[in-house]
Amino acid sequence: MFRAFCGGYNHLVARGFESKQVESQQEEAARPKATGKPLSPAQMERLDRVRTLELSRARLLADLQRATNAAHRRMLEQAVEALNAQLGSLNPDP
């Protein structure tokens, strides 16, 4: 009897998850797509680099919030500063 209950529960959970996944896919498909001129390979590479640096920065900031050791915090702060400098060089202000 326990097996039947677990099988039914897992079936319902999986089914609910699938419907949410389908819903998110439909929302994504309905979103308007950016229709601008295509980016050059150099622009695409720069954009990819900026996104990578931004993700790294976000991870470092999250790690910094959890860090308790002073030396580790200093290391993370220096890494964030280095990423900020790299992002600044890729995104010069007019």
Side-chain angles (χ1 to χ4, degrees):
M1 185 183 289
F2 181 73
R3 249 186 188 163
F5 176 76
C6 287
Y9 176 77
N10 287 338
H11 177 71
L12 292 175
V13 171
R15 187 175 194 157
F17 176 76
E18 287 176 7
S19 66
K20 289 183 182 200
Q21 185 179 16
V22 169
E23 181 183 346
S24 78
Q25 289 174 353
Q26 289 172 343
E27 288 174 2
E28 181 68 29
R31 255 187 227 151
K33 304 291 184 228
T35 55
K37 63 179 183 177
L39 298 176
S40 71
Q43 289 171 320
M44 289 173 46
E45 184 178 329
R46 183 185 157 284
L47 183 60
D48 185 49
R49 180 72 179 145
V50 168
R51 287 179 178 163
T52 300
L53 290 171
E54 288 172 343
L55 286 172
S56 296
R57 184 178 180 277
R59 180 174 175 218
L60 284 172
L61 289 173
D63 289 348
L64 185 58
Q65 287 180 341
R66 290 187 303 272
T68 56
N69 183 295
H72 187 227
R73 289 185 63 80
R74 278 193 305 275
M75 187 256 330
L76 291 171
E77 289 167 350
Q78 290 172 352
V80 169
E81 289 174 16
L83 286 175
N84 286 340
Q86 290 179 30
L87 283 167
S89 69
L90 291 173
N91 292 325
D93 291 330

